[in-house]
């Protein structure tokens, strides 16, 4: 389904596939602009992955797309079961995708949650930063589905391996790993913007008629 979205419904330019390790566990960490980021990333990657997506998105046609593309429903209030499922995938040598900003926004990765760091520290998986651009542009609201044939961009960056630091607490290791991943992803997104010419959305605020909806 992801490849249909990328190459039939939309015109997706993919760069950096050579940065994806051919074997072993990989965490794909991407920015989050739109409903379509997860499926678009799945279709662009050279390896199959399970992407972690907010459980409320699994409704109607979009829910079918998410389910068909192998994505994992996650309760954003805290979902140990989803994290454990993802860890099991990685321990089998598979791939997991995560949108660590948590909610749709301008996609600059100024803030990320600790789930990706926890998975990296507890699985030994490589973290590949992914910049997704064009799924929302300008001042389009967060619930926009882009029109067919729009040019999208998916750029895979060089992998990072996170290891536990000796002599520091688990909490400190988590905080430092989260910070490293945030810096990696934010820098990669800016490099992708410069390389593709596709800007991030200008505004992450919903129009007044959409306020009060869950982001």
């Amino acid at each position: 389904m992801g490849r249909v979205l990328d190459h039939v419904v939309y015109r997706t330019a993919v760069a950096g596939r050579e940065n994806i390790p051919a074997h072993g566990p990989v965490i794909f960490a991407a920015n989050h602009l739109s409903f379509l980021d997860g499926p678009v990333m799945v279709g662009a990657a050279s390896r199959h992955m399970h992407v972690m997506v907010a459980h409320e998105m699994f409704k109607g046609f979009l829910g079918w797309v998410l389910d068909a593309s192998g994505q994992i429903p996650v309760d954003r209030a805290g979902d140990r079961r989803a994290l454990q499922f993802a860890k099991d995938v990685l321990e089998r040598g598979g791939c997991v995708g995560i949108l660590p900003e948590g909610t749709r926004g301008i996609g600059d990765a100024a803030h990320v949650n600790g789930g990706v760091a926890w998975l990296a520290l507890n699985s030994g998986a490589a973290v590949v930063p992914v910049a997704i651009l064009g799924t929302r542009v300008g001042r389009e609201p967060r619930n926009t589905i882009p029109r067919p044939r729009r040019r999208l961009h998916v750029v895979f960056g060089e992998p990072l391996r996170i290891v536990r630091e000796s002599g520091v607490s688990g909490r400190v290791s988590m905080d430092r790993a989260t910070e490293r991943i945030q810096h990696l992803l934010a820098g990669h997104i800016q490099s992708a913007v410069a390389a593709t010419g596709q800007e991030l959305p200008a505004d992450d605020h919903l129009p007044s008629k959409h306020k009060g909806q869950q982001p």
Side-chain angles (χ1 to χ4, degrees):
M1 179 54 64
R3 283 181 170 79
V4 172
L5 284 173
D6 281 347
H7 304 298
V8 178
V9 180
Y10 301 107
R11 298 180 301 124
T12 304
V14 182
R17 276 203 188 106
E18 68 276 7
N19 291 318
I20 301 173
H23 306 285
V26 176
I27 301 167
F28 294 90
N31 59 331
H32 199 11
L33 308 174
S34 160
F35 288 127
L36 294 183
D37 297 329
V40 165
M41 177 169 61
V42 168
S46 56
R47 294 181 63 185
H48 175 71
M49 73 178 84
H50 300 271
V51 183
M52 304 179 75
V53 180
H55 70 91
E56 62 265 26
M57 296 293 100
F58 285 75
K59 297 177 182 177
F61 174 73
L62 178 63
W64 178 82
V65 171
L66 295 173
D67 190 57
S69 58
Q71 302 190 41
I72 306 168
V74 180
D75 183 345
R76 288 183 299 199
D79 196 333
R80 291 183 179 274
R81 183 173 59 179
L83 279 173
Q84 186 59 53
F85 182 93
K87 181 172 177 284
D88 291 345
V89 170
L90 295 169
E91 288 178 341
R92 295 194 298 269
C95 302
V96 168
I98 187 168
L99 308 170
E101 292 174 293
T103 59
R104 284 163 280 138
I106 63 173
D108 61 354
H111 303 282
V112 302
N113 62 44
V116 62
W118 186 89
L119 285 172
L121 286 169
N122 286 281
S123 69
V127 179
V128 172
V130 186
I132 300 173
L133 305 170
T135 54
R136 193 162 62 85
V137 299
R139 296 184 180 275
E140 291 177 339
R142 297 182 196 179
N143 59 357
T144 295
I145 299 295
R147 290 188 178 187
R149 307 309 297 160
R150 176 182 286 181
R151 170 68 73 182
L152 310 180
H153 296 272
V154 181
V155 184
F156 297 96
E158 295 185 5
L160 171 70
R161 292 193 179 274
I162 302 289
V163 297
R164 289 188 179 276
E165 299 180 56
S166 60
V168 300
S169 69
R171 180 70 261 173
V172 171
S173 289
M174 271 281 296
D175 289 345
R176 290 179 179 175
T178 300
E179 184 177 5
R180 285 187 68 193
I181 293 167
Q182 186 271 321
H183 286 165
L184 174 73
L185 181 55
H188 175 64
I189 292 163
Q190 290 306 314
S191 295
V193 167
T196 64
Q198 175 61 65
E199 297 289 343
L200 294 170
D203 188 4
D204 67 342
H205 295 293
L206 292 171
S208 58
K209 68 178 181 179
H210 297 293
K211 288 182 179 178
Q213 293 183 2
Q214 182 70 30

